[in-house]
Amino acid sequence: MRKTDGLFKLLGLCLLAGILVAGVLFPIVGAAGVASNRASETVDSMSAELANVPPPLVTTITDSAGNPIATLYDQYRIPTAADQINDAMKWALVSVEDRRFYEHHGVDWKGTIRAALSNSAGGETQGASTLTQQYVKNYLINVIYRDDEVGQKKAQEQSLARKLKEARIAIQLESKMDKQQILTSYLNVVEFSRKIYGVGAAAQAYFGTTAEKLTVPQAALLAGMVNNPPFYDPWSHPERATERRNLVLDRMVENRKLAPADAERFKAEPLGVVPDGPSKPAANCTGAGPENGFFCQYVQDYLLTNGMSKEDLYTGGYTIRTTMDQNAQHQAKLSAEAQVRKTQKNVANTLSLVRPGKNRHEVVALAANRDYGTDASKGQTTYALPSDVSNVTGAGSSYKIFTAAAALEQHKVGIYSTIQTPQSYASRVFVSGQKPGCPQIGRGTWAYCLQNYGESNYGPSMSLQQALATSPNTGFVILEEQAGLGAVLDMARRLGMRNTMASNAANGGAVDPGNKNPAYSMPQQKYYGPGGISQNGLGAFTLGVSPTSGLELANVAATIMSGGVWCPPTPIMGVSDRDGKPVQVKEAACEQAVPEGLANSLAVGMSRDDTDGTSRGAAQAAGWTRPMIGKTGTTQESGSAAFVGATPQLAGAAMVFRPDSPVGGLCDGQGNVTPCSNGNMFGGKAPARTWFGAMKAILGDQPALPLPASDPAYEH
């Protein structure tokens, strides 16, 4: 190289150094220019974001007693204070990344000029960024622009403008934070690969320990990774990780923070990371496990529906204390599995439990025979079986509750009044397509014909209370005619089927919530027959052919047992933010859905199912003796069945159905239910046994409380 070339290069480097200094100090020297003012505003704005945008933290979900059951996060991070970080970790990082950290004021001018000389001379590429500058860069990438690809690219681009802004922010930080604060903040924000951020999480995930207990070789491994976490990942690239760790140990020796003999001894040690990948909790509700996962899923769905965004939920570092009772959850799971094996294909058995009350309806358990999880070969599922509106099943005659309530409200009938219950009936109010034996009532329309189940002869009439226990179909279709389908639909919504009715559209729309499967179109207020449209609606609504949320059905029973007060079925006991301050959850207000006298009278009307009705056998087998309300339900061909009931302390609904392939029946085998062609399933079988089995164990030796007294206004 000619001397003139070297001279020009030296002059160029001096000019570069001058630009760097002037660029960093531009607000002080000649800051009157418009471009300078705008640049200064940009730097100030970025500095403010560093101060005001908190790093993502892990949200913890607990049971009602405060025991953690799951974690939700985008970045696994455990906040760690300065005195909770071993000095070995701090010195390992300083030694390998910024030896003059305690000497400079945010920008290492010696290192910058040295790097510029080396890079310009074609030597080893050097970055020259201080730990303070790296902190700025990492905060921009991992916090502020974590979901912004454009912002991340700008924060990492190799440009003089980016370096200048980064340097200026670093200088500002050094004027507001001491070295210990900067180092601790850096160690809390930096990535260690595989969604692990910060030294607290890294210590746990890599070594199963805390940042305070990190050994020198462990600290050296982690310090070496921050340069390029995926490249030095110890599970994917153990040789690279070992080489890098040993380099850090050498740098600690050079920095007089480690004796040479100790360094050589540490180099001989294995990496010592936990086997088979990092030890960290699941990032979603699968971490709640097979038993608690459905409850966790409902907590998440409930908060997202009530004003919280998923980003906030997964990054806010909240502690969410739920209403889940671990004993109730466990007993509900055991009872569901006792009736249907968890690995049984295409059969779900769910149990949802809600605590009645006039101020709150707390969900205490959401269980299923199937485990919550992602391994389909083990029968696992992440579909919210106990709480979502199933688009392939109905709850059968349990919907007769709504018809009875609507008729009571209009004083068409009292709980002790006699209603017609003929063995067969042809409705001219609700019409259908052509059916053999049904009278034609118009061009292209025929009467809606139905009969009571099997050969049972209920007689021509009985009391409404007896009808609720024995469930004759004809009697409730006649009541539905008298009350009007609109009133029955409205009653279903008021008593608790809020999402269920919205998903069904209640107006002839498709019933599946995503509106993706027209094969399951279930008209309710209108009937589309071959001769046109009848405005009278679908008479079979009272027979429970509509897709149903088991949780909402349980909440219906809770509403009845709460004197007619509906409250949202809440899984939330309380939420606190990352600083421990309470957070208000936006929940619907409780409301008096029906008059208290009506609700109490309906409860009395439903009080004989376990003694004289369709669930009698299950109640006797369980040794049930408590006062309760109950109603069974079974759909056509025994494709699904349900039992809903309550005591003053606890309400619940059990449902058994085919979640994967809806066509066909279910066969009850006293210990397992299987899909079949000619089903024998009824609400008084597996669903009732599930309900009684769990409730008997949960209530234990709690007092047997009486049901409320009926109101004379609704008796006759």
Side-chain angles (χ1 to χ4, degrees), residues 423 451-458:
Q423 183 60 19
Q451 61 183 16
N452 295 326
Y453 173 74
E455 302 300 325
S456 300
N457 186 356
Y458 292 91

Side-chain angles (χ1 to χ4, degrees), residues 493-579:
R493 184 198 66 81
R494 285 156 60 192
L495 287 178
M497 310 301 285
R498 306 296 172 100
N499 291 332
T500 292
M501 297 305 293
S503 297
N504 290 346
N507 60 6
V511 299
D512 56 301
N515 200 23
K516 298 176 182 177
N517 193 346
Y520 295 109
S521 179
M522 182 60 65
Q524 292 181 347
Q525 287 184 324
K526 299 177 182 179
Y527 174 75
Y528 296 80
I533 300 175
S534 165
Q535 297 295 330
N536 295 326
L538 183 72
F541 178 80
T542 193
L543 306 183
V545 295
S546 305
T548 297
S549 162
L551 173 59
E552 287 198 320
L553 192 59
N555 201 36
V556 166
T559 298
I560 295 170
M561 292 304 299
S562 303
V565 175
W566 173 88
C567 298
T570 180
I572 306 300
M573 185 173 290
V575 178
S576 57
D577 64 17
R578 63 179 66 205
D579 298 318

